[in-house]
Amino acid sequence: MSVKWTVKKQTPFDGPPTFTPDLQKHIQHNYETDQKAIEGFVKKIGIIGGLGPEATVDYYKRIVEFFHKHNQSLSTPEIIIYSVDIAHLFKLVTEQRWDRLAQWLAEKVSALKNAGADFAVISANTPHVVFDQIQAQSPLPLISIVEAALESARAAGLKRLGLLGTKFTMQSNFFGDRFAKDGITVVVPNDCEQQYIHEKLVSEIELGIFTEATRRQLLSIITNMRNREKVDAVILGCTELPLILNEGASEVPFLNTTALHVAAICQQCMPAV
């Protein structure tokens, strides 16, 4: 039976609209379906966002899309986002104030806990340089973006990976150190390429500016890494990079850290079987 989406015509001051009986039944059915679906969600998601804002929006949309498809309804888990200042992050990283960075982010996790979150994530790669320190101070379980990427690489049997990200991510080697424990090598672009990637991230991509010239140059760097380093795939180690580098844009496969992190987040929300 088709639903007739009509409303009784009223003047601006006639009060709330009167819905047709068919529409009322449809709304009631959807409400009951959503209530059953939401009973399965036992965990509220806490996200430290703003690192940067474009990626935070991408995280939110991906999580919502997953659960709309999974539940075949409007129901989604509760999501609490604490948006912080990316400029402050870069200042602490540039000054290598690692203890302060870990403390600052752990404070945000505590705020998420106080707001009702059951677990937390940081929607960026660069802060994971101090992930272990944050985890040691965290009042909530944390899901690591590095571990999510590693699990995917391991499952795919990849052995040699390129890494693109901010200069802090490419130079800190927290991906390389962790992946090496599983026998996977991580290599980075040369110094000139790293400088280009970082400048484009902070001056364009983090601000939601996506140009064709930048996209082409990033793809050229990936091609250079394939030819020079013989990489099996490339880690998009900045959560803004998937916004300009679409899957299939390169002959080299991508490990989209945003998508992999979101998959781990959604799995954490699923009821235990």
Side-chain angles (χ1 to χ4, degrees):
M1 178 182 69
S2 61
V3 176
K4 189 177 180 182
W5 295 85
T6 58
V7 204
K8 177 184 174 183
K9 185 177 179 181
Q10 297 174 305
T11 67
F13 303 103
D14 278 348
T18 302
F19 296 105
T20 64
D22 282 348
L23 180 52
Q24 287 178 332
K25 290 180 181 179
H26 186 77
I27 292 171
Q28 180 64 25
H29 172 75
N30 277 357
Y31 174 77
E32 292 171 356
T33 300
D34 291 347
Q35 286 301 106
K36 290 179 181 178
I38 205 166
E39 289 173 2
F41 301 138
V42 295
K43 295 181 180 178
K44 298 177 184 178
I45 304 168
I47 300 175
I48 298 178
L51 303 169
E54 296 293 328
T56 305
V57 172
D58 194 26
Y59 267 74
Y60 179 81
K61 291 173 67 175
R62 286 174 181 272
I63 293 169
V64 168
E65 181 182 9
F66 172 88
F67 281 100
H68 281 173
K69 290 181 178 178
H70 178 269
N71 294 319
Q72 294 295 298
S73 78
L74 296 176
S75 183
T76 61
E78 294 184 37
I79 304 171
I80 304 164
I81 299 175
Y82 191 150
S83 185
V84 300
D85 182 8
I86 190 172
H88 188 62
L89 167 75
F90 283 153
K91 182 176 186 296
L92 293 176
V93 172
T94 300
E95 296 172 354
Q96 298 187 15
R97 297 175 61 190
W98 307 123
D99 290 344
R100 177 56 191 144
L101 175 60
Q103 181 186 13
W104 179 63
L105 291 168
E107 289 169 357
K108 310 313 176 193
V109 178
S110 294
L112 289 171
K113 181 179 187 300
N114 292 338
D118 294 302
F119 69 96
V121 298
I122 305 170
S123 62
N125 286 268
T126 298
H128 282 69
V129 66
V130 291
F131 181 83
D132 290 344
Q133 295 96 308
I134 301 168
Q135 192 170 47
Q137 303 175 52
S138 174
L140 291 176
L142 302 179
I143 298 178
S144 165
I145 202 168
V146 177
E147 292 294 334
L150 175 59
E151 183 176 344
S152 177
R154 189 191 298 122
L158 302 174
K159 292 299 180 184
R160 189 171 180 84
L161 301 172
L163 171 65
L164 271 60
T166 65
K167 67 180 180 181
F168 311 119
T169 295
M170 291 184 288
Q171 295 173 6
S172 296
N173 207 36
F174 57 88
F175 268 96
D177 289 345
R178 179 62 190 89
F179 277 52
K181 294 178 181 178
D182 277 56
I184 302 173
T185 300
V186 175
V187 296
V188 296
N190 62 37
D191 290 344
C192 182
E193 293 167 338
Q194 286 186 39
Q195 187 61 32
Y196 177 86
I197 295 167
H198 183 80
E199 287 182 357
K200 290 300 180 180
L201 282 170
V202 299
S203 66
E204 294 179 13
I205 301 171
E206 296 281 3
L207 301 174
I209 301 170
F210 310 107
T211 71
E212 182 60 22
T214 297
R215 189 184 74 86
R216 286 198 303 267
Q217 187 58 33
L218 291 172
L219 290 173
S220 177
I221 291 171
I222 291 170
T223 298
N224 291 342
M225 294 189 71
R226 179 195 62 187
N227 296 336
R228 185 174 63 236
E229 301 288 353
K230 311 303 180 186
V231 296
D232 304 318
V234 168
I235 302 167
L236 300 184
C238 174
T239 49
E240 268 75 30
L241 284 173
L243 300 176
I244 192 171
L245 296 175
N246 297 326
E247 190 64 42
S250 169
E251 294 180 2
V252 182
F254 295 152
L255 291 184
N256 178 341
T257 53
T258 300
L260 296 173
H261 209 194
V262 167
I265 292 167
C266 293
Q267 183 62 38
Q268 184 74 7
C269 287
M270 302 298 289
V273 179

